[in-house]
Each structure stands twice: as structure tokens, then as C-alpha cells.
Amino acid sequence: MGAFDRRSSRLARAFVVSSLLSLALAAVLAAQPPPPATPDGAREFIAHVEPTLNDLAVTSSRASWVQSTYITTDTEQIAAAANEAHVGAATEFAKQAARYRDLQLPPELARKILLLRVGLTMPAPADPAERAELTRIATSLEADYGRGRYCRPRADGKEECLDITAIERIMAESRDSKELEDLWVGWRRIAPPMRERFERFAALMNKGARELGFEDTGALWRSKYDMPPEAYSAEVERLWQQVRPLYLSLHAYVRRRLVEKYGPDVVPPDGLIPAHLLGNPWAQEWGNIYPVVEPKDAPKTFDITDLLRARHMDARGMVRTGERFFTSLGFAPLPETFWQRSLFTKPADRDVVCHASAWSIDNKDDVRLKMCIQVRGDDFTTVHHELGHNFYQLAYNSQPYLFQDSANDAFHEAIGDTIALSVTPEYLKETGLLETLPSEDSDIGLLLRQALDKIAFLPFGLIIDQWRWRVFSGDITPEHYNAAWWELRNRYQGVGAPVPRSEKDFDPGAKYHVPANYPYTRYFLARILQFQFHRALCEAAGQKGPLHRCSIYGSKAAGERLQRTLHMGASRPWPDALEALTGQREIDATALVDYFAPLERWLDEQNKGQKIGW
């Protein structure tokens, strides 16, 4: 063992020992009896909770970062131990908070009590053995996804083993239906081994949620929106009905063009679109098949991937460009540690979780981006989105610990997506990527390309949590996991599996957010909110003309309004934050409909005589 290896080993052992000592101390503190159920007792309780949870969160974040960027058995165990202590303390504090919920408290204190009660994504049972089992399962499921490979035979008789990044790249570009089907099926082989653990995982979380006073984990997740769980479900359905006609028009158009490409034997002219043909391993976004479905009579437009490659821009250059967007609005540059500690490209020597994510490690200024960036248009947009998270984290880092989050979990996603909406031709010209602006004749092509991601995603954004909520409630039992998954995908998306599926499969597990236990409806709401935010910021910037041509790049007025809202964090109910940014207190899909109005009119013309629906 070399000197560096010995030093690294000593540092790792020191980290583990110090972490476990602090975690053990925090666990003891969390287990202490709470102060009396009085206003003064509530203040004393929160004064103890916030620094304790902050310390645990920082330790857990550091361990999780290492586990996500260096997947080994040891890093999994370290992350599981840190997460177990954090989850255990948060769960215990959430239960203790219940004794203060009916008191007359000052608004700020009452909100902290509320957020503490509903803040858990993974509610753990009180039993220490079950809590440890839960965190071990959680860590192992995410690690299984990160290690996932599909090995296919090559022409020379050897195997080619592909991770999800490679599979995404091939499925984005290949138009060979047999190859796409093989990759679609092959990736899903990672999921069946998760099935039994997921069943146990859901049962343990449900037990923890019921100990907190919720019917199940789904009810807990839906309680985070400053409204009763049933009202939240109704709100989601209301918004879906507002946007569903536009989705149906897009689906009908895409299906017809895919029939032209692959033939009616592959794509049923009046039925479900086979999932493997939509340019993405999950058929969640369809932008990669734009070359197949682009308008036949529309002028050729630019491709961001081609622009990036022509400028020889690398991963770090893409991130620097994203940073300049925010500094143009008046935000301070990212800390130097961001550039030193982030992961921008996939290492060649180890497994990492490539799914893009933005981290705040210390709840102060140690923010990082974790992403296996490829030089392509989708990743350029994703970089802008993820930096939206990082700048949000920096904006609210002066808030108390319990307010260091977005107004609701959809706001975090919506802010990132709002920034991405400003990646317009005008913005690309400002950054030097595009030499001349395309004519307005190309707008239909640009809008269609965007709708293939933004609009096509909407029903997918619903079904993951629709499935999990029903799993948590017991409406979907383990023996029907896969059948129920496909029933939802068929009904909402009009998308079908390319080959027969059975209960030997566990197709939900092939989507990162299921094994990683991330609530997903936030992404659906974010797709609605981003257009509402975008419209308001464009108005603040004094922009004229079509909403889809607006970029807030360089607008200090828009930046000031955005910073003011981001700084609020979770300190106020989300309607207050929404009003601060947009002047409205209700989520409103009309901005999305307005944005795509020219495309919707064009789709209606294209779909004349065609069946709408399936």
C-alpha cells in the first residue's frame, strides 16, 4: 500500500469514527423527552431540533455524496449508517412535534412545527431494528440502480456492457426498432431483484407514517402542500384536465408519424404507442425523436448539440455558461468549492450514480452538481435546470434550518425548469452559440421540439406517484405491481410495452426515482408552474412578443423578483411565494396553454381525420 493509500485509509477511518460518534450523540439527544406542550416548550423544542438535525443532515449528505460518486460496499454501509441516524432523529422529532400542533403559536414557530411533522420522505418505524433495515434497503436499492448494466452480444462474439448513460445515448439516436426493443427489455432486467425488497421497504415506511399519525406514506407525501391530502389529489387532477387536450393532440400527431416511419405492424394506428420508440428508456420525454416527427414543410432549425460540438464546448464549459446566466440576473457567482468538488463527467474507474442532481452539502455554501454530462442539447438544458437548484439553495441558506427548502417541493423543480425555458434562440445568440436568429417560420418546429419534452412528460409525471400512492394505500397489492403499472401507463400516457410483461418483471424499479424513493408528482406540478413563473418574469423583464421567444437573460428586474422569492425558502406557505413571484395564489396552467397556443392550432390542422386517443 502506497503512502497516499495509507493516508486515505486513515482519513476514511477517522471520518467513520467521528461521524458515528456524532451520530450516536445526536441519536441520544433526539431520544430525550420533549419539553412540555406549551408555547415556551415548543420554542425550546425547536431550538434543540434545528441544530441537531442540521448536524445530522450535513453528515448524511457527506456520506451520501461519497456513496453516490464512489459506489462500494463500504460507502454503502457508511451512507446507510449516516442516513439511519438522520432519519431516526427526524422521525423521532416528527412524532414529538405532534404534541405542539394544536397550540396557539406565533406563525413562524407554528410553521416549523408543521414542516417538521410532514418533512419526511422516508418515515421510519420507531423500532431500531426496523429503522436500520429500512435504511439498509434504501441504500441498496439506489446502489443497485447505480450499478445497473445490460450486457449485449457484439458481432465479434464478446459482450458489450452498457450502463444507463450509454443506453440513453443509443436510444436517443437509434431508429432500429429491434435494437431499441432489445435495450428497452435489457435495462429492465436490473429491476426484478429489487421487487421483494421494495415490498418490504413500502411496508416499513407505512409503519413509520402511521406512527406519525398518517394513514400511509402516500398521505404523508400529499400533506406537504399546505392543504389536506385529498385536496392535493383533486388539485393535481384539475391541472391534468386543463392540459390533457393538448397532450392528446400531440400524442395523435406523433403516433401518425411513427406509423409512417415503422409501419402499422409496429405502431398501431389507433392504439398505444410502443414505449421503446420514443427516444428515451422510459418514454417520459420524446424530444429525441424530433427528427422522425418534425414538420415536413417547416424550415430546418438549429440543433443545440451541433452548436455545442461546433464550439468544442466541454462539460465544464457548459456549466460555466449556465453560471453566467445567473450572474447576468444579478446573482453572485458560484463558490470556488463548487468547481473543486462537483462531479461533471463519469469517471472511467468506478461506478457512480449518474442521475443529475444538485446538492447542498453543509446547508451553507458548499453546493455541488453531480452529473455525467454529455455534450448534447438535453444536457445543456439540464445543466441550467440543476444550477437553478444550486442557486435556490444558496438563496435560502440564511434561513433557519427548517426553512431551508423550497416553498413546496415542486417549486425547486419549477425554478430550475423556468431557467431552462430561457434557453431560447435569443439566449443562444447572446452566448455566442448561435450566429443568426431563426425566422418566425421555424417557431412551429421549435415549439414541437419543446412540446415533445414538456407536454409529453405530463402524464408520466403523474403515474409514478399514482402507482406508489396506491401501493402505499394497499389498493395495489404486490402480486399486481407490474399489471397496475402498465394499466396506469396505458390509461394516462397512451403508451404500451413493446413485449408482453408479467409479474416476474418489476418495471417501476427501472426508473431511478422509485428505487431512490423520490416523490415524483413534484415534476408534474413543476411543468405547470414553470410556465406561470416564466410568464411573470418575462413581464418583469419588460419582454414583448410571443412567450415562447422570451428569455430573461440579462434582466436585473427579473433577477431581483426571482431572488426575493428564492430567499423566502419554506418560511411561508407556498401560495405566498407564488404570489410574490406571479401575483397569483393558485397554480394556473393557462400560461402553459398560452405558450404552446401556436403549436396547438397547428396540431389540430395536422390531426384532421385522425383518431384522437386510443
Side-chain angles (χ1 to χ4, degrees):
M1 179 183 291
F4 178 79
D5 291 332
R6 287 195 298 272
R7 184 167 65 252
S8 298
S9 180
R10 288 196 299 271
L11 289 171
R13 288 197 297 271
F15 172 76
V16 172
V17 170
S18 64
S19 296
L20 292 180
L21 286 173
S22 65
L23 295 175
L25 176 60
V28 169
L29 292 173
Q32 293 177 351
T38 64
D40 286 342
R43 289 189 187 89
E44 182 183 348
F45 173 65
I46 291 296
H48 165 62
V49 163
E50 289 199 283
T52 303
L53 284 182
N54 182 75
D55 290 346
L56 286 165
V58 171
T59 300
S60 180
S61 291
R62 294 193 188 283
S64 295
W65 175 265
V66 175
Q67 185 266 323
S68 292
T69 59
Y70 206 112
I71 300 174
T72 70
T73 301
D74 291 329
T75 59
E76 284 183 42
Q77 291 180 0
I78 292 169
N83 196 30
E84 178 185 344
H86 184 212
V87 169
T91 301
E92 182 59 32
F93 286 144
K95 292 174 183 174
Q96 293 174 6
R99 71 186 302 168
Y100 306 108
R101 64 181 175 180
D102 295 327
L103 297 176
Q104 293 296 316
L105 301 172
E108 179 175 312
L109 185 57
R111 183 151 183 81
K112 288 182 177 181
I113 294 294
L114 170 66
L115 294 175
L116 192 57
R117 289 192 62 244
V118 302
L120 294 173
T121 297
M122 188 175 72
D127 180 81
E130 291 181 328
R131 186 166 63 239
E133 181 185 5
L134 177 68
T135 54
R136 283 196 302 271
I137 292 174
T139 303
S140 72
L141 289 172
E142 184 173 12
D144 280 3
Y145 188 95
R147 278 192 295 256
R149 298 286 188 277
Y150 168 51
C151 296
R152 63 179 182 175
R154 298 192 315 196
D156 60 8
K158 297 181 180 180
E159 278 194 331
E160 177 187 27
C161 291
L162 305 169
D163 63 11
I164 188 57
T165 301
I167 291 172
E168 283 188 84
R169 183 173 59 251
I170 297 169
M171 294 191 73
E173 298 174 357
S174 175
R175 302 295 177 249
D176 182 332
S177 63
K178 290 298 183 183
E179 179 183 38
L180 292 170
E181 180 182 303
D182 177 68
L183 291 170
W184 190 94
V185 173
W187 174 246
R188 278 155 184 74
R189 292 177 184 169
I190 72 163
M194 302 178 186
R195 184 181 179 121
E196 186 175 339
R197 275 174 292 155
F198 179 84
E199 180 184 347
R200 177 64 175 161
F201 185 63
L204 289 169
M205 284 202 298
N206 270 348
K207 184 174 182 181
R210 290 176 186 125
E211 289 175 0
L212 291 171
F214 297 93
E215 290 185 10
D216 54 56
T217 303
L220 169 59
W221 287 5
R222 297 191 301 276
S223 295
K224 299 179 181 183
Y225 284 82
D226 297 300
M227 62 178 69
E230 59 275 11
Y232 175 67
S233 298
E235 178 72 355
V236 169
E237 184 63 26
R238 176 184 71 82
L239 293 168
W240 167 239
Q241 292 303 324
Q242 278 188 288
V243 298
R244 184 172 178 267
L246 179 54
Y247 177 78
L248 291 176
S249 293
L250 180 67
H251 180 282
Y253 172 77
V254 168
R255 180 177 57 196
R256 178 172 63 81
R257 297 301 304 275
L258 290 176
V259 171
E260 294 173 3
K261 171 69 176 177
Y262 295 104
D265 292 339
V266 177
V267 182
D270 296 331
L272 304 170
I273 299 175
H276 65 303
L277 300 178
L278 291 165
N280 175 278
W282 309 279
Q284 68 180 58
E285 293 168 327
W286 306 348
N288 289 322
I289 65 164
Y290 177 76
V292 177
V293 303
E294 65 181 330
K296 295 178 179 179
D297 55 350
K300 290 292 182 183
T301 186
F302 61 88
D303 182 282
I304 297 179
T305 300
D306 293 339
L307 298 178
L308 295 170
R309 292 173 180 171
R311 300 297 187 278
H312 305 290
M313 188 175 288
D314 61 9
R316 183 172 288 262
M318 290 164 66
V319 182
R320 285 289 186 189
T321 303
E323 180 192 38
R324 284 194 292 273
F325 184 98
F326 286 90
T327 57
S328 82
L329 301 179
F331 287 80
L334 290 162
E336 187 58 31
T337 53
F338 171 88
W339 303 101
Q340 297 166 350
R341 299 170 184 173
S342 291
L343 177 76
F344 296 147
T345 55
K346 188 180 188 304
D349 62 343
R350 64 184 190 269
D351 290 326
V352 302
V353 178
C354 274
H355 185 84
S357 54
W359 298 56
S360 176
I361 299 293
D362 63 355
N363 300 324
K364 294 178 183 175
D365 55 9
D366 186 358
V367 295
R368 308 178 191 179
L369 172 64
K370 178 187 65 62
M371 183 177 174
C372 300
I373 298 173
Q374 301 179 63
V375 180
R376 59 182 184 179
D378 284 350
D379 285 29
F380 184 74
T381 302
T382 300
V383 163
H384 286 71
H385 170 98
E386 294 299 334
L387 291 184
H389 290 301
N390 285 137
F391 279 97
Y392 205 163
Q393 292 158 348
L394 290 169
Y396 59 56
N397 68 4
S398 60
Q399 292 282 0
Y401 172 78
L402 287 171
F403 292 159
Q404 289 190 15
D405 204 346
S406 56
N408 63 42
D409 60 5
F411 268 61
H412 237 307
E413 295 302 323
I415 292 297
D417 283 340
T418 300
I419 300 305
L421 284 177
S422 279
V423 181
T424 62
E426 287 76 5
Y427 169 62
L428 295 173
K429 188 173 186 296
E430 289 281 345
T431 61
L433 284 169
L434 192 62
E435 292 184 359
T436 58
L437 290 175
S439 69
E440 292 184 5
D441 292 341
S442 67
D443 280 6
I444 291 299
L446 293 172
L447 283 169
L448 177 61
R449 174 63 180 82
Q450 201 163 23
L452 291 170
D453 286 340
K454 300 291 187 182
I455 304 303
F457 175 83
L458 291 170
F460 187 85
L462 286 176
I463 62 170
I464 290 182
D465 279 353
Q466 293 283 348
W467 181 82
R468 282 190 291 196
W469 293 344
R470 291 174 59 191
V471 167
F472 293 141
S473 71
D475 183 48
I476 296 175
T477 57
E479 57 270 22
H480 298 105
Y481 275 172
N482 224 47
W485 172 258
W486 282 106
E487 187 276 328
L488 285 167
R489 296 204 66 180
N490 296 167
R491 174 154 53 96
Y492 278 95
Q493 270 191 292
V495 165
V499 299
R501 310 303 282 167
S502 74
E503 294 306 323
K504 292 181 181 179
D505 303 304
F506 182 54
D507 293 332
K511 174 60 182 168
Y512 172 76
H513 297 74
V514 174
N517 197 48
Y518 279 98
Y520 208 78
T521 307
R522 65 178 73 173
Y523 301 105
F524 168 80
L525 292 176
R527 294 295 166 106
I528 308 292
L529 282 167
Q530 64 186 266
F531 292 95
Q532 194 172 355
F533 291 173
H534 182 63
R535 181 169 63 186
L537 291 173
C538 288
E539 290 171 356
Q543 292 279 347
K544 307 297 182 184
L547 191 56
H548 63 270
R549 281 277 188 157
C550 167
S551 176
I552 64 169
Y553 179 71
S555 171
K556 297 296 192 294
E560 182 181 353
R561 182 182 293 195
L562 182 60
Q563 287 195 66
R564 185 171 64 246
T565 304
L566 301 190
H567 176 73
M568 293 169 66
S571 64
R572 303 285 295 276
W574 67 262
D576 292 353
L578 180 64
E579 186 175 28
L581 187 58
T582 70
Q584 300 173 277
R585 295 187 62 82
E586 185 178 68
I587 302 175
D588 177 16
T590 61
L592 180 149
V593 175
D594 290 347
Y595 187 99
F596 287 104
L599 176 67
E600 187 168 26
R601 290 191 293 270
W602 182 84
L603 288 172
D604 289 343
E605 285 293 320
Q606 302 300 309
N607 289 333
K608 284 183 178 178
Q610 301 293 317
K611 178 180 178 180
I612 307 298
W614 47 88

